[in-house]
Amino acid sequence: MQINLEIKKYLEENGITQAFISRKTGIEPSKLSIALNGDRKFTLEEYSLICGVLGVNTDRFLKPQIPKDRETA
């Protein structure tokens, strides 16, 4: 799942800067940049704050996953 890429794409398509997101959420610019580039994962709190600032539901960037069957035949 590439939440960071989905968020990054949304920001670019809507002309929203990382600086704006950082300022509104309180997420340090360096932490935000590292997460958006995929070098760290967003915490649930960070993700929730970003969605709140963007005015989108938290399911906007998440796609359901079906667990692989872990049973062995």
Side-chain angles (χ1 to χ4, degrees):
M1 186 175 339
Q2 300 289 326
I3 294 172
N4 64 311
L5 297 178
E6 293 293 324
I7 294 172
K8 200 171 185 178
K9 179 180 172 186
Y10 183 91
L11 296 180
E12 290 170 1
E13 289 175 348
N14 292 281
I16 301 169
T17 65
Q18 289 184 31
F20 174 81
I21 297 297
S22 176
R23 191 170 51 252
K24 292 293 190 179
T25 62
I27 302 170
E28 295 176 28
S30 60
K31 285 179 76 173
L32 180 63
S33 177
I34 291 168
L36 287 172
N37 288 319
D39 294 324
R40 72 176 278 272
K41 293 182 180 182
F42 287 108
T43 66
L44 182 57
E45 181 179 3
E46 290 169 341
Y47 178 71
S48 180
L49 285 168
I50 290 168
C51 289
V53 166
L54 295 176
V56 299
N57 290 328
T58 53
D59 64 351
R60 171 66 175 82
F61 305 108
L62 290 173
K63 306 296 181 230
Q65 292 186 36
I66 300 171
K68 294 179 182 175
D69 188 6
R70 296 186 183 245
E71 292 182 27
T72 56

